[in-house]
C-alpha cells in the first residue's frame, strides 16, 4: 500500500505539482536540461502546452541553471486559463551562433496571451557576435528581439534581467495593461539597435524601478501608444527615453497621455527626446509630462527633433507633419555634455503648441548652457536655466 502511495506521489511530482490553487509545471520534467548545451526549446513548448490545457491558474517553473533555447513562440489564444505565471530561477541562453535566430525577428515571443506574469530570471541573447558582424560591414542578419509580447492583455514582467540582446531587448506591441518593474537591461554602449524597451500600438503600459543601459534608446515609444507611465528609471549608457521616431507613414496613429518622472540619465546621447521624421504625416504627440529628471552629462538633455532625416534620404519636402502640443518639462536639472542643453526644433508646417518649461536647471561645464527654439510656442514658469527660448 505504501509503495502505491509513493508511486502516485512521484507521478504527480513528475508531471505537475500543486501549490495552493495554482498548478505548477517544472520544465525539467518535460526534458529541459540546465547544461547550456542541450536544446531545451521543445521542453519549454511542451510545458507551455500542458499549462495552457489547465482550467486553473498555473505556474511554469524554470529551476536554476542555463537553458539553451532557440527561437520560440508561445501562443495564448487556446489557453483555458487567464492566469499563467512563469517563475524563472535560471537563465535562458540564445544560441551562440547569431545566425541561428538572427533572421527570426524574435527570440522569445508571446502572442494573444491574457493574464501572463513573468517573474525573475535572466535572458542572455548573446548578441555580441552579431554586433561585431554589423560593425565590420559584412552581410549580417538583422537580429532578433529578445522578448516580444504581441496583442496581449494584463501582462506583468517583474525582476527579469535581459543581457546582450541581438536587437531590441523587450517589445510591447498591441497590448493592453502591461506592467514592467524591477528589471535590469544591459548591452554594450556600442551595440547597434539594442533598445531597452520599445512600446508600440499599446495602452496602459507602466515601467517602474528599472535600470537600463544599452546602445540605443533606453525606452522608445512608437505610434499608436497611449496612457504610458514611466517612473524611477535609470538610463545610461544609451540614447535616452524617446517618443519616436514618429511620422514615417502618412496615415499614422498618434501618441498621447505619457508621463515620465523621477528618472536619471548618465552619459546618454539624449535625455528626454521627441523625434519625428521630416515627412508628411497626420500623426501627433500630445499630453506629455516630463518631470523630476536628473541629467549627468547627457549630450542633449531636452530635445524635440522634427528634422530627423538620416543621410538626407526619404524626406520629401524636409518638413514634419506630426503635430506636437501640450508637453511639460518640470524640474529637469543636472549637467549637459553639450552647450545646447535644451533644443526644441519643431516643424515649420506645424508649430509645437503648449510647451511648458518649469524649473529647468541645466549647466554645461559649470557654465551657463544655451537653449535654442524654432517654431515652438509655450510658456515658462519658475526659474529656468538656461533662460527659456520660448
Amino acid at each position: 500500500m505504501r509503495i502505491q502511495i509513493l508511486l502516485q506521489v512521484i507521478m504527480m511530482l513528475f508531471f505537475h505539482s500543486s501549490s495552493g490553487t495554482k498548478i505548477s509545471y517544472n520544465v525539467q520534467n518535460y526534458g529541459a536540461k540546465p547544461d547550456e548545451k542541450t536544446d531545451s526549446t521543445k521542453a519549454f513548448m511542451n510545458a507551455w502546452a500542458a499549462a495552457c490545457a489547465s482550467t486553473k491558474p498555473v505556474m511554469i517553473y524554470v529551476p536554476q541553471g542555463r537553458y539553451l533555447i532557440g527561437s520560440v513562440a508561445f501562443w495564448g489564444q487556446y489557453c483555458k486559463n487567464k492566469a499563467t505565471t512563469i517563475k524563472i530561477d535560471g537563465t535562458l541562453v540564445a544560441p551562440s551562433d547569431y545566425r541561428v535566430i538572427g533572421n527570426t525577428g524574435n527570440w522569445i515571443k508571446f502572442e494573444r496571451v491574457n493574464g501572463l506574469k513573468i517573474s525573475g530570471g535572466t535572458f542572455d541573447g548573446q548578441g555580441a557576435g552579431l554586433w561585431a558582424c554589423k560593425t565590420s560591414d559584412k552581410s549580417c542578419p538583422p537580429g532578433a528581439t529578445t522578448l516580444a509580447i504581441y496583442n496581449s492583455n494584463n501582462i506583468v514582467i517583474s525582476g527579469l534581467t535581459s543581457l546582450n540582446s541581438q536587437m531590441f531587448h523587450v517589445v510591447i506591441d498591441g497590448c493592453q495593461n502591461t506592467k514592467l518593474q524591477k528589471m535590469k537591461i544591459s548591452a554594450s554602449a556600442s551595440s547597434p539597435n539594442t533598445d531597452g524597451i520599445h512600446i508600440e500600438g499599446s495602452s496602459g503600459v507602466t515601467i517602474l524601478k528599472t535600470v537600463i543601459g544599452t546602445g540605443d534608446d533606453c525606452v522608445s515609444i512608437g505610434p499608436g501608444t497611449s496612457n504610458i507611465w514611466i517612473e524611477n528609471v535609470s538610463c545610461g549608457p544609451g540614447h535616452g527615453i524617446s517618443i519616436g521616431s514618429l511620422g514615417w507613414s502618412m496615415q499614422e496613429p498618434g501618441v498621447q497621455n505619457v508621463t515620465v518622472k523621477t528618472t536619471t540619465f548618465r552619459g546618454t546621447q539624449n535625455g528626454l527626446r521627441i523625434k519625428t521624421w521630416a515627412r508628411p504625416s497626420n500623426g501627433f504627440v500630445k499630453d506629455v509630462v516630463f518631470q523630476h529628471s536628473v541629467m549627468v552629462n547627457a549630450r542633449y538633455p531636452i530635445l524635440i527633433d522634427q528634422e530627423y532625416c538620416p543621410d538626407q534620404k526619404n524626406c520629401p519636402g524636409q518638413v514634419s507633419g506630426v503635430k506636437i502640443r501640450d508637453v511639460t518639462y518640470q524640474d529637469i536639472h543636472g549637467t549637459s555634455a553639450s552647450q545646447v542643453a535644451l533644443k526644441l526644433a519643431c516643424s515649420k508646417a506645424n508649430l509645437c503648441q503648449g510647451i511648458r518649461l518649469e524649473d529647468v536647471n541645466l549647466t554645461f561645464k559649470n557654465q551657463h548652457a544655451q537653449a535654442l527654439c524654432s517654431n515652438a510656442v509655450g510658456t515658462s514658469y519658475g526659474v529656468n536655466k538656461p533662460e527659456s527660448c520660448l
Side-chain angles (χ1 to χ4, degrees):
M1 183 68 177
R2 290 181 178 176
I3 294 176
Q4 286 182 324
I5 294 173
L6 182 60
L7 287 172
Q8 289 176 350
V9 171
I10 291 172
M11 291 298 290
M12 286 180 65
L13 289 173
F14 184 82
F15 288 106
H16 64 266
S17 61
S18 178
S19 176
T21 58
K22 187 174 290 187
I23 301 171
S24 179
Y25 298 83
N26 188 323
V27 295
Q28 290 188 2
N29 295 338
Y30 293 86
K33 303 294 184 185
D35 59 8
E36 201 176 348
K37 298 177 182 179
T38 305
D39 188 343
S40 295
T41 310
K42 188 175 181 180
F44 275 71
M45 293 182 69
N46 288 341
W48 175 263
C52 274
S54 173
T55 56
K56 296 181 179 180
V58 296
M59 181 177 75
I60 297 173
Y61 179 56
V62 182
Q64 291 184 352
R66 294 176 65 84
Y67 300 84
L68 177 62
I69 303 292
S71 181
V72 60
F74 300 105
W75 292 83
Q77 70 268 41
Y78 301 118
C79 289
K80 296 180 179 179
N81 70 80
K82 295 182 180 180
T84 299
T85 297
I86 302 178
K87 186 177 186 305
I88 308 173
D89 286 335
T91 298
L92 276 56
V93 184
S96 57
D97 182 351
Y98 59 81
R99 292 167 296 187
V100 175
I101 64 170
N103 285 306
T104 62
N106 303 292
W107 174 28
I108 299 168
K109 180 178 79 169
F110 292 88
E111 185 148 6
R112 299 184 186 179
V113 176
N114 193 356
L116 172 68
K117 180 177 182 180
I118 301 175
S119 178
T122 299
F123 290 179
D124 186 350
Q126 300 210 96
L130 179 61
W131 309 338
C133 178
K134 289 183 175 181
T135 57
S136 66
D137 294 326
K138 296 179 182 178
S139 178
C140 313
T145 290
T146 286
L147 174 63
I149 301 179
Y150 295 105
N151 305 312
S152 297
N153 302 322
N154 306 315
I155 307 298
V156 177
I157 303 174
S158 182
L160 175 68
T161 296
S162 178
L163 303 175
N164 301 325
S165 181
Q166 288 190 355
M167 282 274 287
F168 293 5
H169 285 259
V170 179
V171 167
I172 306 297
D173 191 346
C175 296
Q176 306 293 317
N177 300 324
T178 302
K179 179 184 285 187
L180 303 96
Q181 60 188 4
K182 298 179 180 178
M183 296 182 66
K184 295 180 181 179
I185 297 174
S186 178
S188 165
S190 60
S191 58
N193 304 120
T194 54
D195 293 48
I197 300 170
H198 177 72
I199 309 165
E200 187 162 334
S202 298
S203 181
V205 179
T206 300
I207 303 173
L208 302 173
K209 298 179 180 178
T210 290
V211 177
I212 305 173
T214 71
D216 212 298
D217 293 329
C218 290
V219 179
S220 56
I221 299 171
T225 303
S226 62
N227 303 323
I228 307 300
W229 190 277
I230 300 171
E231 185 175 3
N232 285 317
V233 170
S234 175
C235 174
H239 294 183
I241 294 178
S242 295
I243 297 175
S245 304
L246 304 177
W248 172 259
S249 301
M250 181 63 197
Q251 302 297 325
E252 183 177 278
V255 172
Q256 59 187 322
N257 298 331
V258 177
T259 297
V260 179
K261 65 181 296 186
T262 319
T263 50
T264 302
F265 300 85
R266 298 182 185 277
T268 52
Q269 186 182 92
N270 310 288
L272 305 165
R273 175 170 65 164
I274 300 174
K275 180 174 67 171
T276 73
W277 281 86
R279 295 169 56 91
S281 176
N282 63 355
F284 63 86
V285 177
K286 66 178 183 178
D287 301 326
V288 177
V289 176
F290 298 115
Q291 62 182 179
H292 311 316
S293 291
V294 177
M295 304 290 168
V296 183
N297 289 326
R299 190 183 305 171
Y300 301 109
I302 295 175
L303 177 63
I304 294 179
D305 179 8
Q306 292 206 265
E307 301 169 344
Y308 183 65
C309 186
D311 302 320
Q312 298 301 307
K313 295 179 181 178
N314 301 312
C315 301
Q318 305 291 312
V319 176
S320 176
V322 175
K323 297 178 176 64
I324 297 175
R325 67 178 176 88
D326 299 331
V327 180
T328 295
Y329 300 91
Q330 180 185 49
D331 183 29
I332 315 298
H333 60 276
T335 56
S336 172
S338 64
Q339 192 164 9
V340 178
L342 185 155
K343 183 178 180 180
L344 309 180
C346 298
S347 170
K348 290 182 288 187
N350 300 286
L351 276 63
C352 295
Q353 302 281 351
I355 306 299
R356 178 186 175 112
L357 300 176
E358 181 176 353
D359 296 326
V360 173
N361 188 351
L362 298 166
T363 61
F364 168 65
K365 294 183 178 180
N366 296 318
Q367 303 173 24
H368 292 297
Q370 293 182 4
L372 297 178
C373 296
S374 56
N375 309 309
V377 179
T379 52
S380 301
Y381 300 87
V383 178
N384 290 286
K385 298 179 182 179
E387 186 175 346
S388 172
C389 55
L390 291 171

